Amino acid sequence: MTDQYGRNIDYMRLSITDRCNLRCKYCMPEGITLTPHCEILTYEELLRVAAQAVALGVTKFKVTGGEPLVRKGCVGFVGQLKALPGVEQVTMTTNGLLLGEQLEGLVAAGLDAVNISLDTVNDEKYGKLTGYRGSALPRLMALLEQCVAIGMRTKVNVVLLEENQDELPELAAIAQHLPVDVRFIELMPIGYGASASGFSPDRALEQLKGCWPDLSPVSEKRGNGPAHYYASASLVGRIGFIDAVSHAFCADCNRVRLTSTGLLKPCLCYETSTDLKAVLRSGGSDADLREALRQAIYAKPRAHCFAQRDSITEQKGMSQIGG
Ligand code: SAM
Ligand code: SF4
């Protein structure tokens, strides 16, 4: 369906848990309070919401979290979501730590693509940024190769941080060795991201042009999102940028988000949401659910307000919203 500004909303992000096996500093640092399990939507409830979203024209879903793969039964959920009539695409965003062991099941369940979040290629820094104890990088690099080998469409998400500004070429070089897109995401001032220090995407692009001078924009569409991409003859994958703060792309926004507690969020920036859990748990019919969704989608705000920080009303963290 189209919203009040005529944008076609066909993409929904589903956060299926606020739990995570990492503690990324800008997302979910140590000590964060978790939501009681009873407040998190069950898979049945998520599927009811998804089915009504499909009835309104949503065809693509992103399964996210927290870390989606820490929730038991995630593979089965992906299969059920993909099997809903009218669903064209189910993709996932994950930190990858549990992906190796669940990849085969996810492929069988029909997962169409995966985004793996990786902010550094330095093991020690990975530990500092995420709280992970041990060596994750060799495993994550092998996982990328495994995803490519089985033909899974794979992207790497890198949040542009003060801490990784010195290794952007190394991160981008993943696209030199493997046919994966490496996307640099501007840090958004949401949740703990508001107190973290980011790095400018424009400066990142300049830095990368120093390594790949022929890096030039490509117009092809590569996914459902707002990333814009660059290609070089020396890269098999593409380099992407998601620069929501410095280059707003609200006029083309196609998405809504469902938090793990069932709040339908039409825009990342604002706290305004529709409590679908209340509809689900008060005996609401599918028609009630669809009407609540329809109203929320229609009323989607024209634009975010990242440029005026005082106007940001969202208080939740990204681990609750799903990124
Ligand atoms: N745990 C999964 C993961 O890390 O991919 C999925 C959930 S995570 C919230 C989804 C994405 O949001 C990740 O790529 C993460 O880096 C990104 N993210 C979290 N906080 C952010 C912020 N303040 N600004 C920009 N991206 C952020
Ligand atoms: Fe967990 Fe993903 Fe947030 Fe990191 S970015 S703490 S992996 S939810």
Side-chain angles (χ1 to χ4, degrees):
M1 69 170 277
T2 51
D3 71 1
Q4 61 180 323
Y5 299 105
R7 294 170 294 195
N8 185 30
I9 308 302
D10 62 358
Y11 173 86
M12 182 180 275
R13 296 179 70 91
L14 296 175
S15 173
I16 65 167
T17 179
D18 69 334
R19 267 62 175 172
C20 187
N21 47 353
L22 290 182
R23 288 291 179 274
C24 299
K25 279 165 63 173
Y26 57 82
C27 177
M28 186 184 184
E30 290 294 351
I32 198 166
T33 308
L34 297 173
T35 312
H37 280 295
C38 60
E39 299 295 326
I40 305 285
L41 291 197
T42 64
Y43 285 136
E44 291 71 22
E45 289 170 331
L46 283 161
L47 289 166
R48 271 191 73 192
V49 172
Q52 294 316 309
V54 172
L56 293 170
V58 172
T59 56
K60 296 164 232 168
F61 291 89
K62 172 80 75 193
V63 178
T64 175
E67 172 49 43
L69 294 174
V70 302
R71 181 161 177 184
K72 272 197 203 124
C74 179
V75 172
F77 170 67
V78 166
Q80 285 177 296
L81 182 60
K82 187 69 191 288
L84 284 180
V87 171
E88 290 172 9
Q89 200 183 84
V90 176
T91 58
M92 178 178 285
T93 296
T94 171
N95 61 35
L97 291 174
L98 299 173
L99 183 59
E101 62 213 56
Q102 302 193 52
L103 190 56
E104 207 178 303
L106 287 166
V107 172
L111 189 74
D112 292 288
V114 73
N115 293 352
I116 298 174
S117 301
L118 187 62
D119 296 336
T120 173
V121 284
N122 176 311
D123 242 337
E124 200 184 323
K125 205 184 282 180
Y126 188 86
K128 282 192 184 140
L129 282 172
T130 68
Y132 185 79
R133 294 189 187 91
S135 171
L137 264 301
R139 194 147 55 91
L140 290 174
M141 289 302 174
L143 174 73
L144 287 175
E145 287 181 17
Q146 191 187 348
C147 287
V148 168
I150 62 165
M152 175 66 75
R153 260 193 305 130
T154 307
K155 293 176 185 158
V156 171
N157 283 351
V158 181
V159 177
L160 288 165
L161 301 165
E162 198 175 54
E163 289 92 335
N164 61 12
Q165 59 176 294
D166 58 338
E167 52 173 319
L168 303 185
E170 277 174 273
L171 284 155
I174 294 172
Q176 188 162 314
H177 311 301
L178 293 170
V180 304
D181 294 344
V182 177
R183 293 140 27 112
F184 293 97
I185 304 176
E186 187 168 21
L187 180 73
M188 288 181 259
I190 293 289
Y192 294 93
S195 48
S197 299
F199 186 68
S200 142
D202 291 344
R203 283 176 61 201
L205 178 59
E206 281 316 304
Q207 216 188 92
L208 296 177
K209 279 186 172 165
C211 304
W212 293 280
D214 65 336
L215 211 53
S216 42
V218 287
S219 54
E220 77 206 91
K221 185 140 174 51
R222 298 177 75 80
N224 305 310
H228 53 100
Y229 287 96
Y230 293 78
S232 155
S234 325
L235 297 174
V236 278
R238 300 279 186 266
I239 302 298
F241 288 89
I242 302 179
D243 36 13
V245 183
S246 51
H247 301 280
F249 34 71
C250 302
D252 297 321
C253 189
N254 62 345
R255 62 199 49 208
V256 289
R257 295 170 166 85
L258 188 72
T259 70
S260 51
T261 57
L263 299 177
L264 198 279
K265 269 183 69 60
C267 179
L268 200 48
C269 201
Y270 307 102
E271 196 167 26
T272 313
S273 57
T274 298
D275 189 352
L276 297 183
K277 181 167 62 162
V279 179
L280 287 159
R281 296 190 183 176
S282 62
S285 65
D286 286 346
D288 295 332
L289 201 50
R290 190 163 63 246
E291 181 55 18
L293 270 162
R294 195 193 63 72
Q295 287 182 19
I297 293 174
Y298 185 76
K300 184 173 160 70
R302 189 181 59 76
H304 68 58
C305 57
F306 288 143
Q308 305 97 38
R309 285 211 179 187
D310 293 352
S311 307
I312 299 174
T313 53
E314 183 52 270
Q315 299 298 317
K316 286 184 282 304
M318 280 293 205
S319 57
Q320 293 166 295
I321 299 169

